[in-house]
Amino acid sequence: EVQLVQSGAEVKKPGESLKISCKGSGYSFTSYWIGWVRQMPGKGLEWMGIIYPGDSDTRYSPSFQGQVTISADKSISTAYLQWSSLKASDTAMYYCVRQGPVLGDAFDIWGQGTMVTVSS
Amino acid sequence: SYVLTQPPSVSVAPGQTARITCGGNNIGSKSVHWYQQKPGQAPVLVVYDDSDRPSGIPERFSGSNSGNTATLTISRVEAGDEADYYCQVWDSSSDHPHWVFGGGTKLTVL
């Protein structure tokens, strides 16, 4: 079964750092893009960025460039989303997604989501 | 920046047909994908490349795309179709190509 399994919910304080993960299984991890999507409470979907684990080619949404870092470790089929200094406005559900090898392919597999809560 | 416009809500009686639109400048020249998100769940792809269905998605779900409007059509609507629906395109026209989502449409089954 093709699936993406994300790390568990996090509760952090403003200014703290965080790295969440997304492990792919059931397919060739290096042959598909992995992306991240934010959903703030009660709001819509926002694309953050994508990485191609095969060569680590990474693209960011202009809205998130410089705010987060996307990385991947192909040896363990895992992608990451990290923050160096969290803000309360980072409170949201974060989904990782699998995208086909062509930019423009749909997100055919979604992780279960990681809820990040940032509060003092 | 490319903008996708969806109606905030659509209501339909069971057994009827629901049409959810997604407006964008010359969207007919782009490939549109549609996602369904039920409360408390991750989104699911229901239509890709304007009108194709992933395996496991009922034939009741179909899509079309022309001019400035893409449409997701759900025939013979069931109570279980009640969800938020999002359209999506890849905007390759800018200096920084990126994904764009519509604001979402809440489908209510009366």
Side-chain angles (χ1 to χ4, degrees), chain A residues 84-119:
Chain A
S84 59
S85 181
L86 287 160
K87 302 183 287 289
S89 57
D90 293 317
T91 294
M93 181 72 81
Y94 293 88
Y95 294 101
C96 65
V97 297
R98 187 185 82 160
Q99 178 187 325
V102 175
L103 288 170
D105 285 345
F107 299 169
D108 63 343
I109 303 294
W110 291 65
Q112 83 277 19
T114 296
M115 184 66 206
V116 174
T117 302
V118 183
S119 175

Side-chain angles (χ1 to χ4, degrees), chain B residues 36-72:
Chain B
Q36 174 195 67
Q37 185 179 31
K38 296 181 180 180
Q41 298 184 20
V44 172
L45 178 67
V46 292
V47 167
Y48 66 97
D49 291 348
D50 297 338
S51 59
D52 291 331
R53 276 186 317 277
S55 60
I57 300 300
E59 291 184 9
R60 300 185 297 104
F61 289 81
S62 62
S64 62
N65 184 19
S66 179
N68 292 319
T69 305
T71 303
L72 174 69

Side-chain angles (χ1 to χ4, degrees), chain B residues 2-83:
Chain B
Y2 196 78
V3 176
L4 294 175
T5 301
Q6 297 183 236
S9 63
V10 168
S11 299
V12 64
Q16 299 304 302
T17 297
R19 295 179 179 84
I20 298 172
T21 59
C22 176
N25 184 35
N26 197 27
I27 195 173
S29 67
K30 303 180 183 298
S31 287
V32 180
H33 313 308
W34 291 91
Y35 301 89
Q36 174 195 67
Q37 185 179 31
K38 296 181 180 180
Q41 298 184 20
V44 172
L45 178 67
V46 292
V47 167
Y48 66 97
D49 291 348
D50 297 338
S51 59
D52 291 331
R53 276 186 317 277
S55 60
I57 300 300
E59 291 184 9
R60 300 185 297 104
F61 289 81
S62 62
S64 62
N65 184 19
S66 179
N68 292 319
T69 305
T71 303
L72 174 69
T73 301
I74 309 171
S75 304
R76 302 181 299 285
V77 166
E78 303 173 356
D81 298 331
E82 191 161 279

Side-chain angles (χ1 to χ4, degrees), chain A residues 54-69:
Chain A
D55 61 8
S56 295
D57 184 4
T58 308
R59 318 287 179 94
Y60 290 95
S61 162
S63 299
F64 292 93
Q65 180 84 48
Q67 308 305 308
V68 296
T69 301

